Structure formats: C-alpha cells, structure tokens
Amino acid sequence: MEGSPPDWELKNLVKELTRGRELAEQLQIHLNNVQSSSHEARDFLLHRILYSYDQALSMLNFSRPGATLPPASASPGSPHSDDSDQDFKDQASRKRKAVEKRTEKVKVWEGIGVEGQLDDGYGWRKYGQKDILGAQHPRGYYRCTNRHSQGCMATKQVQRSDDDPTIFEITYKRKHTCNSRPNSSNTPVSRTASMPDPSPHSLSENPQQLGARSEQNQPEPLFKIQTSLRVITHDLGTKENPPFDPFNFPSSSTINPDNIMGNYSPNLLSPAASGSDYYPITMNVINDNYTELIPNFHTSESELSPIVAAVTSATNSPTVGTNLPFGSSEFDPNFSFGNPGYYP
DNA sequence: AGAATTTGACCGCC
DNA sequence: GGCGGTCAAATTCT
C-alpha cells in the first residue's frame, strides 16, 4: 500500500469527511435545542467531529507518499507501555513463539451501546472465556471469523477492568491476514452483534454480552441511551502503532437491533485493529452506521447503532441532516487528494 | 440448517 | 499444581 491510496481508503476518507459534516449538523441541532438535548450527546458529537477530522487528516498523511505517520489522532490517554511491556516480557519469557501483541483500553459509556464503542469492524468469533486470577471479570477470547476460510490467525482478548468497569482492555494478537477489512456495513458480523446472553450478570464480564439481549431484557426506551464515548488507548508498545483515536470504534458492522442497548460485541473492541495495516479501515464501520443511520432515522430504531441511537435520541429531530447551514453537499468520492494545496 | 456462543475439559508453560 | 489459552460438544439464535 504505498504510493497512491487505494480506493477503499479514499472512500473511507470521504466517508469520514461526510460524517464529520453530518455530525456537525447534528451538533447544531442540539445547540438549537439545548433543552432537549443531553450534554453527553453534544459532547459526543463534538468529540466525534474532532475525531473525524483527525481521521481524515491521518488518512491523508498516511496515504501521502513520503508523509510521516500521523501523530495524530492520538488517543486522549497517553500511551502507556507498562502493560504492553509486561505483555511482551511474558511472551518473551515463554518459549512460545513471540506473537505480536497489542493492548488497548477502551472506555465505554453507559447507556451507549458498548458494541459500537468497541467494535473494530472485523468479524470475531468467541471461542472461550476464562476467569482470570485476580480479576473480577472473566476474559473473553475471540478469533477472526476468517480463521478457517482464510487462515487468519488474528485473535483478541477482552477483559473488563476491575478498577473501572467502563473500561475494557483489549489485547490483539497477530495481525489479520484475511481479506475482509473492517469495513463497512456489509461486513459480515457474526452474531457477535446479536449474541445471546443467557446470563444477565454477564453483562459485566463479557463484552459481547453487554446488552446483547438487551432488547429482550431491557424494555427501556432507546432514548435512554446516552452517550459519549471515549477511548483510552494505551498502545502497549507494539512496534506497529497506528494512530488511534478516541472514537475509532467501528461497531461491528452490522448493527443488530439486539445490541443497540449496549451490547458490545467483541468486534467492537477492536479499535485499532492489530496492526497498522488495518487501522485505517477500522473506522469504516462506524462510519457506515453513522452516515446511513442518522439520515435515516426514520428507519427502525433497531438499525441504529448504539452511538447513533444516543445521539439521535437526544436530538429528537428525525429530520436531521436537512436544512442546515452546513449545506448538504456531498463529498465527491472521486475527489482527488492530489491537489497540492490540499495539504497544509 | 447453518452459524455463533457457552462452557467444561484439555494442554502447555511456569 | 496453578494458571492462561484453546478446543470442542452442547446449546442457542437467525
């Protein structure tokens, strides 16, 4: 992937920019109706807008020949290498072949679907769960759904933090070697998004289960969802360290009606995928959800991603995206970034 | 019926 | 032997 950015990357860029505009519109609506909008929603929108900018810039820098990696969208939380170091030591100390490992901490906000906040767009399949010594919550083990079909050995572990239940530590191991990018809505997301959750208590331990069955178990109205989502990314030291942002949580592509209420699928938790090779795509999913859902708020609520639900809920304005000063012009997917003056 | 999750069992490392 | 990670049968969901 050198030289000119691939089509999908450009599309992502356009999507991100488009999303930024839509979010700005959303924000405006909120500002015009401060009374009916929640602080969380406005805060979320603001952050998301900034995030979109960062993403777009990062993508530009990233794809620009000779450009340095975007410093970027660095996550709010400063990189913390302690854990990672430890992880690597552990890995190294063992005879096992050292595996690329990267840990990130994702903070999810109650109310908002955990899923959307944690999803990285890749398809993950849970293959185990274990109680970890000293940890209050069990650790979930996930592997790429393309494991068999494409031999993708990417795996990730998700564990809720003891200190802060809203923080999930996601450890990625091995890069995705599969073709399926964490992209768009059409990404087949396994049931992850709608996974069954027989045990209510599991909400705290198994991310995927968070709210999984919410629809069944919690009749509460969607508008109850609030939000703001923030990601505390601690890149634990992997050599490859793609710029990661607070909102880079593409929810698992397919938003399932069932997960809206906070179900967080393992997919979710993969903010920055496992390697730089993929991170740029990560956001696609969330983007799709946004761009597709917000404008179509009229569509079934079930289609709303947790985040969107949160945002729109506070909005109370189904007609978002129209008649706004921001204009409704769309970015041209074919827009060329080769414009010399485009880069600062 | 096919696919995904759950969960106890199994395996390897320390 | 304990613990973390993975396997696989049973179960559940679409």
Side-chain angles (χ1 to χ4, degrees):
Chain A
M1 237 176 262
E2 312 165 12
S4 58
D7 290 345
W8 60 265
E9 197 168 321
L10 289 177
K11 288 180 181 177
N12 290 336
L13 179 55
V14 171
K15 279 187 178 182
E16 197 58 37
L17 291 171
T18 300
R19 177 181 312 303
R21 180 175 60 74
E22 292 174 342
L23 290 167
E25 293 172 348
Q26 286 279 342
L27 179 58
Q28 183 178 49
I29 291 175
H30 280 250
L31 292 175
N32 289 334
N33 298 285
V34 180
Q35 298 181 328
S36 60
S37 80
S38 68
H39 172 72
E40 285 83 3
R42 293 195 298 273
D43 188 55
F44 167 74
L45 286 171
L46 176 60
H47 281 85
R48 190 59 186 75
I49 290 169
L50 292 174
Y51 167 71
S52 289
Y53 273 106
D54 284 340
Q55 278 300 319
L57 289 172
S58 294
M59 294 175 84
L60 285 172
N61 288 326
F62 199 63
S63 57
R64 184 171 44 154
T68 54
L69 275 179
S73 15
S75 46
S78 56
H80 206 14
S81 58
D82 297 346
D83 293 338
S84 67
D85 288 345
Q86 190 59 52
D87 287 340
F88 280 113
K89 282 178 188 172
D90 289 344
Q91 288 297 133
S93 65
R94 285 167 201 162
K95 301 208 166 158
R96 277 182 212 156
K97 175 183 177 184
V99 179
E100 289 180 61
K101 195 171 177 181
R102 197 162 100 92
T103 301
E104 293 176 355
K105 290 183 181 179
V106 178
K107 179 171 181 121
V108 297
W109 294 81
E110 312 230 353
I112 212 176
V114 181
E115 174 189 292
Q117 301 176 58
L118 303 174
D119 182 18
D120 60 0
Y122 281 103
W124 297 98
R125 179 169 177 169
K126 187 173 186 176
Y127 64 85
Q129 179 170 306
K130 264 281 200 184
D131 285 321
I132 301 302
L133 191 67
Q136 292 175 30
H137 309 286
R139 175 179 299 167
Y141 298 88
Y142 304 86
R143 65 181 161 216
C144 181
T145 53
N146 294 310
R147 176 121 163 176
H148 297 301
S149 63
Q150 297 181 46
C152 180
M153 298 303 285
T155 63
K156 75 173 177 182
Q157 297 173 8
V158 179
Q159 182 161 34
R160 176 170 283 219
S161 170
D162 291 340
D163 299 331
D164 185 346
T166 65
I167 292 178
F168 289 87
E169 292 188 20
I170 308 163
T171 299
Y172 296 91
K173 290 183 180 178
R174 296 191 170 141
K175 288 182 180 179
H176 281 275
T177 57
C178 56
N179 296 323
S180 68
R181 290 177 185 139
N183 123 46
S184 32
S185 31
N186 54 3
T187 300
V189 178
S190 32
R191 226 162 79 179
T192 323
S194 61
M195 64 198 123
D197 177 6
S199 50
H201 77 286
S202 63
L203 175 118
S204 58
E205 22 254 41
N206 193 336
Q208 312 183 347
Q209 301 180 336
L210 290 181
R213 290 170 163 287
S214 44
E215 188 172 78
Q216 296 167 36
N217 301 329
Q218 42 180 331
E220 285 115 275
L222 276 179
F223 50 71
K224 193 173 178 193
I225 299 178
Q226 302 235 329
T227 153
S228 236
L229 126 172
R230 228 155 253 172
V231 178
I232 297 176
T233 307
H234 288 193
D235 186 300
L236 301 179
T238 331
K239 46 189 179 179
E240 297 186 67
N241 184 9
F244 183 57
D245 292 63
F247 292 96
N248 196 4
F249 292 119
S251 64
S252 75
S253 14
T254 311
I255 293 307
N256 212 306
D258 294 341
N259 21 17
I260 285 184
M261 295 309 284
N263 152 33
Y264 107 43
S265 77
N267 312 325
L268 334 182
L269 299 180
S270 342
S274 22
S276 56
D277 293 342
Y278 309 96
Y279 100 86
I281 320 171
T282 337
M283 49 184 267
N284 296 336
V285 178
I286 201 172
N287 291 344
D288 288 345
N289 292 335
Y290 251 80
T291 53
E292 293 174 12
L293 298 176
I294 291 183
N296 297 304
F297 187 59
H298 62 280
T299 54
S300 143
E301 304 175 320
S302 60
E303 293 181 350
L304 299 174
S305 72
I307 296 174
V308 174
V311 175
T312 53
S313 64
T315 298
N316 288 330
S317 178
T319 56
V320 181
T322 58
N323 63 21
L324 289 169
F326 295 96
S328 57
S329 61
E330 294 290 332
F331 288 99
D332 178 0
N334 298 313
F335 174 73
S336 168
F337 293 96
N339 186 331
Y342 193 81
Y343 303 107

